[in-house]
Amino acid sequence: MKNKYEIAKDIFIDSIDVDAYIELDSTIPVYETLVASLAKPLKMVLLFGKPGTGKSILLNTLMTRLQNQKEIYYFDTPFSTEKEFFFKFSLILRDKELVRKGEIDFSDLIGLCRELYGKREIVILLDEAQMYTSELMEKIRLLADTRSIKFVLTLHKTENEDLIAKEHFTTRIWEIIELKNGTPEDQMQYIHKKLAKKNLSDISESITIKQNKLMYQFTKGNYRECNKLMFTVFEICAYYNKDEVSKSNFDGITTRIIEMAALKLGYIHA
Amino acid sequence: MHDIKSLEKEWKRYNKNKRKPFYFLVLLLGAIGGAIFFYTKQTAITINDSKKTVPLPSIIKEVPTTQKVATIKNKTNVVSKAVNESYNLLLNHSILDLELEKKEILEDKNSAGMIPTLPVVHDIPLIDDPVHKSNTKSNSKKKPLIKVQKNVHAKVKRKKKQLKILKSSTKLGLKEVARRFKRYRNVEDALFLAKTYYKQGKYLKSEYWALETNKVDSHIEESWILFAKSKIKLGQKREAMSILKKYSQQSHSKKAKKLLLKL
């Protein structure tokens, strides 16, 4: 039987499942802006931020919540070739003729999309768009110009990705949404809500502000790093709670345990 | 978690290294605090030392260079111990070259010869003075009395500066005053000795010093009264009355008349 620390450890396994999505005071406005932008006559929406800020989980959550209202599709893995992309795209369009041909002509695809204007409004969520080639990105832009397809792209925020955004999309009507790392308060809220979902509020309440600040020093407010750190912290706690020798001295999450987790993950060094 | 032991060891090393800057800071602050404390202490000592230095009286400047007797006004509450010591030292130095006085100044065998007549200075045959006879014979180092007589006639005009020895009751102190009088002929020294010996009950000596005072300055009432009193104490009442009579007739001294009436 798992002890509570083992259950808590599993909560912080990094995942983009909708169940893992936590609404925070800082992320709610971002979600609402994204939903509102889909209602606008915008061709493309750019969602960018550092890795681990919650872009993927946000898109997944968006798709899950809007799938009954809109024709929305989420591609979490980037396509390795253009052919693969167009094949998948054609399946969305449900054009049997295109599929039967085996080869997809881009101009045919454009023509098909123009015919769908006013009849269907398709939203395509493309994650890790920084992986796409510039030619593919150009074709995506052209598909968006048909106004029957709305694309939501996520990009990692680096110097290069900023450049891509500027070159390809400056002439389009854009909604640019940035996701940032959380504040210490956001992190505290994130941990509390995660644990509360599994009825482990007693553990969350034992974490002091000082301990949270210490963890923030390591994670810098990044949710992926926070998941990693909390997973390791609860892994150590689970061991001490289980081990007969150390069980009597074990008193929950301490600064020592947090520092041990940070040492293991390489945030600090002896 | 299989690597917990190594992780614990690693954490101990980390914890130890984490505290190093703190210990260093504590040591540094301690060193700075100690340096400041030491510096302020040194400064305080320097200030205290400078305060202890008391300006010496003016006599220090005058005595070594001049042969005049410098006197200092006695401020009883002001003179510190250091000043007393320095003063006594200076006093000793200033009278070193004076002739030593005999232990017993007077043996009055024939006190009749001591009765002065006014004006005292002129009529006293000092050569026949029994008091000085023995002294002159025995102590060749003393200056001749003729010189003393001459000096008595002339009124020495000197700057009067009060010199009062604080510990004058000591034998050594009195001797030093006597030595000084021999050299400088200061009436105040002689009067002081007369008073002191009278207080001590040494009436023979007080009589002698009162007479010495009168020799230098015959207008000092106190020395005449003291002379008469000493005579009375020595049992020479008639002589005392005679002196007082003559003195009161000439000076119209109220004190002399009062004392005479008492007798």
Side-chain angles (χ1 to χ4, degrees):
Chain A
M1 189 179 170
K2 283 185 176 181
N3 66 46
K4 61 180 181 179
Y5 293 103
E6 284 175 336
I7 298 167
K9 181 185 81 174
D10 294 336
I11 293 169
F12 289 94
I13 292 171
D14 203 32
S15 167
I16 59 167
D17 289 342
V18 178
D19 294 337
Y21 178 72
I22 300 293
E23 278 188 338
L24 302 174
D25 295 339
S26 60
T27 58
I28 293 170
V30 175
Y31 177 83
E32 289 173 353
T33 305
L34 196 53
V35 171
S37 65
L38 293 176
K40 291 178 189 175
L42 300 172
K43 301 171 188 178
M44 297 179 90
V45 177
L46 182 63
L47 182 66
F48 76 103
K50 286 181 180 176
T53 50
K55 299 185 295 297
S56 303
I57 198 166
L58 186 63
L59 289 184
N60 199 16
T61 306
L62 186 72
M63 189 200 74
T64 308
R65 290 183 181 181
L66 295 180
Q67 60 189 356
N68 296 328
Q69 299 165 30
K70 288 179 183 295
E71 193 177 352
I72 188 164
Y73 301 93
Y74 175 47
F75 296 120
D76 56 351
T77 311
F79 302 104
S80 54
T81 60
E82 280 185 18
K83 191 177 179 180
E84 190 183 343
F85 172 73
F86 292 136
F87 182 75
K88 282 268 172 95
F89 191 71
S90 61
L91 286 175
I92 291 167
L93 294 178
R94 293 192 288 275
D95 192 284
K96 292 174 185 176
E97 194 64 34
L98 273 174
V99 175
R100 206 183 307 120
K101 276 183 183 178
E103 283 182 14
I104 299 162
D105 186 60
F106 183 69
S107 56
D108 292 338
L109 204 60
I110 293 290
L112 189 61
C113 288
R114 281 187 185 138
E115 287 174 15
L116 291 175
Y117 178 66
K119 298 174 187 176
R120 285 167 73 181
E121 193 175 296
I122 302 166
V123 178
I124 296 178
L125 309 176
L126 295 175
D127 204 356
E128 309 287 349
Q130 74 277 358
M131 301 288 287
Y132 297 130
T133 62
S134 53
E135 290 80 18
L136 183 57
M137 286 302 293
E138 192 58 31
K139 284 174 180 170
I140 289 169
R141 184 179 65 80
L142 290 167
L143 287 169
D145 285 343
T146 63
R147 289 190 173 271
S148 57
I149 314 291
K150 193 170 279 185
F151 288 95
V152 179
L153 308 172
T154 68
L155 287 176
H156 282 178
K157 186 184 179 184
T158 61
E159 288 177 10
N160 291 334
E161 276 76 50
D162 285 346
L163 205 65
I164 289 167
K166 194 178 177 182
E167 283 175 1
H168 289 277
F169 309 116
T170 48
T171 57
R172 301 321 191 254
I173 300 170
W174 277 102
E175 183 79 55
I176 299 172
I177 302 166
E178 186 180 359
L179 278 173
K180 294 178 181 178
N181 279 343
T183 61
E185 292 74 26
D186 289 334
Q187 181 178 277
M188 192 72 157
Q189 197 182 31
Y190 178 76
I191 295 167
H192 279 212
K193 285 191 172 185
K194 276 260 189 187
L195 291 167
K197 269 191 171 184
K198 296 286 181 182
N199 299 320
L200 296 171
S201 299
D202 57 330
I203 295 176
S204 67
E205 284 165 11
S206 71
I207 299 171
T208 62
I209 295 170
K210 199 176 175 184
Q211 287 169 345
N212 182 56
K213 276 186 181 175
L214 176 63
M215 289 190 287
Y216 188 83
Q217 281 178 20
F218 304 132
T219 64
K220 305 283 188 287
N222 189 277
Y223 299 108
R224 183 169 291 153
E225 298 297 331
C226 180
N227 287 338
K228 273 167 61 180
L229 182 64
M230 293 311 298
F231 180 88
T232 312
V233 165
F234 288 124
E235 191 180 33
I236 297 169
C237 289
Y239 173 84
Y240 283 132
N241 196 40
K242 206 174 184 179
D243 183 52
E244 291 302 319
V245 176
S246 54
K247 196 175 182 177
S248 56
N249 294 328
F250 178 65
D251 196 25
I253 297 173
T254 59
T255 303
R256 175 171 165 258
I257 289 172
I258 294 168
E259 286 173 344
M260 283 170 71
L263 280 164
K264 189 178 178 186
L265 294 170
Y267 294 129
I268 51 175
H269 305 280
Chain B
M1 197 172 182
H2 63 277
D3 58 345
I4 194 75
K5 296 293 176 190
S6 61
L7 193 59
E8 281 173 349
K9 283 180 187 174
E10 197 180 350
W11 179 81
K12 281 177 184 172
R13 270 204 313 277
Y14 168 77
N15 196 37
K16 198 178 170 184
N17 291 335
K18 193 174 75 171
R19 289 172 193 273
K20 276 183 184 175
F22 172 73
Y23 293 141
F24 176 74
L25 189 68
V26 167
L27 277 169
L28 187 68
L29 287 171
I32 292 168
I36 291 167
F37 174 75
F38 182 73
Y39 174 74
T40 51
K41 202 176 177 184
Q42 286 293 323
T43 310
I45 289 167
T46 311
I47 291 166
N48 286 337
D49 286 343
S50 65
K51 279 184 181 175
K52 280 183 183 175
T53 306
V54 180
L56 297 172
S58 59
I59 190 173
I60 294 167
K61 294 174 188 174
E62 293 180 28
V63 171
T65 57
T66 63
Q67 291 184 356
K68 291 180 181 179
V69 176
T71 57
I72 300 169
K73 286 188 179 179
N74 185 19
K75 295 178 182 177
T76 54
N77 295 325
V78 172
V79 180
S80 65
K81 191 181 176 183
V83 174
N84 286 344
E85 288 173 356
S86 63
Y87 175 75
N88 286 334
L89 189 66
L90 284 165
L91 193 62
N92 290 333
H93 282 295
S94 66
I95 59 173
L96 274 176
D97 56 339
L98 293 175
E99 295 170 353
L100 291 173
E101 194 180 285
K102 279 186 179 178
K103 288 183 181 179
E104 295 296 325
I105 299 170
L106 302 171
E107 281 292 333
D108 186 23
K109 289 179 182 179
N110 185 11
S111 60
M114 293 288 287
I115 301 169
T117 54
L118 294 172
V120 173
V121 174
H122 301 288
D123 293 340
I124 295 173
L126 289 175
I127 294 168
D128 295 332
D129 188 350
V131 177
H132 283 62
K133 260 189 183 176
S134 57
N135 290 340
T136 51
K137 283 177 185 177
S138 60
N139 192 353
S140 59
K141 289 183 181 178
K142 279 192 175 181
K143 292 179 183 177
L145 288 171
I146 294 167
K147 282 188 182 178
V148 173
Q149 191 178 11
K150 282 182 183 175
N151 289 337
V152 168
H153 282 282
K155 280 190 181 177
V156 179
K157 291 184 181 176
R158 295 188 194 91
K159 279 186 185 177
K160 284 194 177 180
K161 288 184 183 178
Q162 294 295 322
L163 174 64
K164 287 191 179 179
I165 301 166
L166 294 175
K167 291 184 180 177
S168 58
S169 57
T170 60
K171 224 176 183 179
L172 193 64
L174 291 173
K175 282 184 182 177
E176 285 171 359
V177 174
R179 276 189 224 126
R180 193 169 66 234
F181 175 75
K182 293 289 179 189
R183 190 174 178 187
Y184 297 109
R185 306 298 293 176
N186 190 345
V187 288
E188 288 171 12
D189 287 342
L191 185 61
F192 169 75
L193 285 168
K195 281 186 200 174
T196 309
Y197 281 126
Y198 187 85
K199 280 180 189 173
Q200 287 178 357
K202 296 174 183 175
Y203 303 115
L204 211 56
K205 286 186 181 180
S206 68
E207 183 195 18
Y208 169 75
W209 283 108
L211 186 61
E212 288 295 307
T213 309
N214 294 334
K215 286 175 188 176
V216 178
D217 188 352
S218 61
H219 298 96
I220 300 171
E221 181 189 56
E222 202 174 353
S223 65
W224 281 111
I225 301 295
L226 208 53
F227 183 68
K229 279 185 174 179
S230 301
K231 283 277 184 187
I232 293 163
K233 291 287 183 182
L234 288 167
Q236 298 161 18
K237 200 175 175 182
R238 278 188 190 177
E239 288 160 15
M241 284 173 72
S242 172
I243 290 161
L244 283 170
K245 215 176 189 179
K246 284 182 184 175
Y247 177 68
S248 63
Q249 279 171 1
Q250 287 198 359
S251 63
H252 305 287
S253 167
K254 286 180 184 177
K255 275 188 181 177
K257 281 179 186 175
K258 200 175 176 181
L259 187 58
L260 199 60
L261 284 167
K262 274 187 183 177
L263 295 172

